Amino acid sequence: MRLSVNQITVAGRDTRELVEGCVRHGIPAVGLWREPVAEAGIEEVAKLVADAGIRVSSLCRGGFFTGGDRAALEDNLRALDEAAALGAPCLVLVAGGLPAGSKDLPGARAKVMAALEFLAPEAGARGVRLAVEALHPMFCADRAVVSTLGQALALAEPFPAEQVGVVVDTYHLWWDPRLAEDLPRTAGRIASYQVSDWCLPLAADTLRSRGLPGDGHIDLPAFTRDVSRLGYTGDVEVEVMNAEVAARPLDDVLADLVRRHRELIAPHLQEQR
Amino acid sequence: MRLSVNQITVAGRDTRELVEGCVRHGIPAVGLWREPVAEAGIEEVAKLVADAGIRVSSLCRGGFFTGGDRAALEDNLRALDEAAALGAPCLVLVAGGLPAGSKDLPGARAKVMAALEFLAPEAGARGVRLAVEALHPMFCADRAVVSTLGQALALAEPFPAEQVGVVVDTYHLWWDPRLAEDLPRTAGRIASYQVSDWCLPLAADTLRSRGLPGDGHIDLPAFTRDVSRLGYTGDVEVEVMNAEVAARPLDDVLADLVRRHRELIAPHLQEQR
């Protein structure tokens, strides 16, 4: 099985609870977030997942480069160290939105490229890949000035593929009319494939509007076949930010994720592992 | 002055009230909606605007093609007749979202092209231009499978420019990293330039989240310069869907629109009329 549970999908539990739950349900991988990992202690979590035989598919998250400050770069170096210590193959990068009071979108985007130039060799030295994530355009002002796969690729392509890749997240990208052209360009660059669904109406907190795979409007089998055909052999991470999902009992959610993975995702993955 | 007030910005008044308000405030144009126009009567509204010396910059709206039904096409023919009777130079087209229960985005998009093939000569025969509008990607599932200017252009370009053009709406397009490439392709194809602002947080009803020009994150002077440089000489329509704005007294809103137009838009228009 190539299912990974992103920690935020079951937010509110500590990392040990998540890892033990994954073991119970035969889920082989987790995507971790820096804050709960720091609470538990990096070394402790590294040992926890190793002992459990669980893969860490990604660490969320670095980025927030658009302020152009040195502190952000230093924080990203710490995040890279944490990813390396956890054995996470990639650090997910969220670009950051417009700086407060600024309407200079091209300027903000230029800062993202400048940050990657600094961080790419540092990532390479640690054996961790930077994973540039395009966020849905509704987050452009406040969260990520990188809105499309094409844009994420343009940021990644100047660097060696083992230093900078991209996240392919169905929620953020499904609507993009250029996907059929841009997806083939990602071959060898997909650092993480994340799945969740587009559900309506959007929640009052739009950040928490994602649905479990199958509950919304995205053709996840087709998307998964496309990603798999590109040679992606990594884990398929379910990252659902949704208060109702997180409020359900952990075992209920994990069993549901396994079922949905088996129905909607696994049959569409070419077995290459 | 090239300001036009889209009727939905001051929703809740009848068309006569809007037209009389525009005359009081020296606003030379209005963008009309079919429903309030039908309430007042097409012929009556045509006479009302002619007597007032007001231009009709657009009629909203046709479209909703993705169901693929004949009834939608017939309704669009009626809308074209109405636009012609009102002297509106263009009919704004909203593509429509995914049909109920469908996840076939390419299929829905193909239906839009098929509808344009049928409607373009009909529009030409009536002297009305079809104006394909890309809506922000957050409306892709439920409202418009046309999400980018590049996509709107690809739909328009097979047809004569006088039959099919595009809407350039700042709210829907401002985030698009391909805008610098795609905007120059619109020369001669811009049927309507609509302005409003991206404000956060999004309203619970995301459709009504738009802000008045200047209240949000979009660089409207820069956007307006870009559109103007392409040779666009038409009206600049303020289309703000926002319950709070519509609830303000009519004269208060219209005076505000004039002030914002003079500050943010007019100085950035090349005078070509």
Side-chain angles (χ1 to χ4, degrees):
Chain A
M1 190 152 63
R2 287 163 63 184
L3 169 62
S4 172
V5 178
N6 184 288
Q7 189 155 25
I8 207 161
T9 305
V10 293
R13 283 84 176 184
D14 66 23
T15 305
R16 174 172 299 276
E17 240 182 307
L18 168 62
V19 170
E20 289 173 354
C22 285
V23 170
R24 275 198 304 282
H25 290 268
I27 296 169
V30 290
L32 297 175
W33 280 65
R34 292 180 71 195
E35 296 76 4
V37 166
E39 268 175 46
I42 305 282
E43 298 307 320
E44 289 73 8
V45 171
K47 182 168 188 315
L48 178 69
V49 292
D51 290 352
I54 296 273
R55 297 188 289 272
V56 179
S57 53
S58 71
L59 181 65
C60 289
R61 60 193 179 186
F64 295 93
F65 301 127
T66 48
D69 50 315
R70 178 79 201 174
L73 295 179
E74 281 164 8
D75 189 54
N76 276 276
L77 290 179
R78 283 192 294 276
L80 283 170
D81 288 338
E82 293 164 25
L86 292 165
C90 68
L91 174 68
V92 174
L93 299 183
V94 171
L98 288 169
S102 167
K103 301 187 183 191
D104 180 11
L105 196 47
R109 286 170 173 161
K111 295 228 168 63
V112 180
M113 181 52 98
L116 289 178
E117 282 164 5
F118 172 78
L119 288 172
E122 299 282 351
R126 288 163 178 82
V128 174
R129 184 139 75 148
L130 299 169
V132 180
E133 179 163 32
L135 261 58
H136 192 283
M138 71 180 170
F139 300 118
C140 184
D142 56 339
R143 198 159 295 272
V145 295
V146 177
S147 307
T148 65
L149 182 60
Q151 206 182 353
L153 278 168
L155 286 163
E157 281 167 349
F159 304 99
E162 68 275 15
Q163 289 180 10
V164 187
V166 297
V167 179
V168 173
D169 183 306
T170 59
Y171 185 82
H172 295 304
L173 304 180
W174 75 280
W175 59 272
D176 187 349
R178 292 184 58 87
L179 212 52
E181 290 157 76
D182 288 337
L183 211 45
R185 291 169 53 203
T186 62
R189 289 270 175 195
I190 303 180
S192 175
Y193 176 45
Q194 298 186 333
V195 294
S196 65
D197 218 330
W198 181 268
C199 296
L200 291 174
L202 295 176
D205 177 358
T206 46
L207 198 60
R208 319 240 169 259
S209 286
R210 298 185 212 181
L212 291 172
D215 283 353
H217 295 278
I218 306 175
D219 188 346
L220 289 168
F223 211 129
T224 300
R225 284 193 297 272
D226 288 344
V227 167
S228 190
R229 272 194 214 106
L230 294 170
Y232 179 73
T233 57
D235 293 306
V236 182
E237 209 174 288
V238 181
E239 189 190 40
V240 172
M241 300 183 182
N242 181 309
E244 283 173 39
V245 172
R248 286 166 51 185
L250 179 64
D251 281 301
D252 176 41
V253 176
L254 295 180
D256 200 0
L257 294 181
V258 169
R259 184 181 62 78
R260 290 168 190 258
H261 180 84
R262 291 210 164 114
E263 282 177 13
L264 288 167
I265 307 295
H268 307 283
L269 291 170
Q270 295 174 9
E271 285 311 323
Q272 288 153 319
R273 286 188 172 246
Chain B
M1 189 152 65
R2 286 164 62 184
L3 171 61
S4 172
V5 178
N6 185 287
Q7 188 155 25
I8 207 161
T9 306
V10 293
R13 283 84 176 183
D14 65 26
T15 306
R16 176 173 297 277
E17 239 182 308
L18 167 62
V19 170
E20 289 173 354
C22 286
V23 170
R24 275 197 306 282
H25 290 268
I27 296 169
V30 289
L32 297 177
W33 280 65
R34 294 180 69 196
E35 296 77 2
V37 166
E39 269 175 44
I42 305 283
E43 298 306 321
E44 289 73 9
V45 172
K47 183 169 187 316
L48 178 70
V49 293
D51 290 351
I54 296 272
R55 296 189 290 271
V56 178
S57 53
S58 71
L59 181 65
C60 289
R61 60 193 178 183
F64 295 93
F65 301 128
T66 49
D69 50 314
R70 177 78 202 176
L73 295 179
E74 280 163 10
D75 189 54
N76 276 274
L77 290 179
R78 282 191 296 275
L80 283 171
D81 288 336
E82 293 165 23
L86 293 165
C90 67
L91 174 68
V92 174
L93 299 183
V94 171
L98 289 169
S102 167
K103 302 188 183 191
D104 180 10
L105 197 47
R109 286 170 173 160
K111 295 228 167 64
V112 181
M113 181 53 99
L116 289 178
E117 282 165 4
F118 171 77
L119 288 172
E122 300 282 351
R126 289 162 178 81
V128 174
R129 185 139 75 146
L130 299 168
V132 181
E133 179 164 32
L135 261 59
H136 192 284
M138 72 181 170
F139 300 118
C140 184
D142 57 339
R143 198 158 294 270
V145 295
V146 176
S147 307
T148 66
L149 182 59
Q151 206 183 351
L153 278 168
L155 287 163
E157 281 167 347
F159 304 99
E162 68 276 13
Q163 289 180 9
V164 188
V166 298
V167 179
V168 173
D169 183 307
T170 58
Y171 185 82
H172 295 305
L173 303 180
W174 75 282
W175 59 271
D176 187 349
R178 292 185 58 86
L179 212 53
E181 290 157 76
D182 288 337
L183 211 45
R185 290 170 54 204
T186 62
R189 288 270 175 195
I190 303 182
S192 175
Y193 176 44
Q194 299 186 332
V195 293
S196 65
D197 219 331
W198 181 267
C199 296
L200 291 173
L202 294 177
D205 177 357
T206 46
L207 198 60
R208 318 243 168 258
S209 287
R210 298 185 211 181
L212 291 173
D215 283 353
H217 295 279
I218 305 176
D219 189 345
L220 288 169
F223 211 128
T224 299
R225 284 193 297 274
D226 288 344
V227 168
S228 190
R229 269 193 217 107
L230 295 170
Y232 179 73
T233 58
D235 293 306
V236 182
E237 206 173 290
V238 182
E239 190 190 41
V240 172
M241 299 183 183
N242 181 310
E244 285 172 39
V245 172
R248 285 167 51 186
L250 180 64
D251 282 301
D252 177 40
V253 176
L254 295 180
D256 200 1
L257 294 181
V258 169
R259 184 181 63 75
R260 290 169 190 258
H261 180 83
R262 291 213 164 111
E263 283 177 14
L264 288 167
I265 306 295
H268 307 283
L269 292 171
Q270 295 174 8
E271 285 311 322
Q272 289 154 318
R273 284 190 175 244

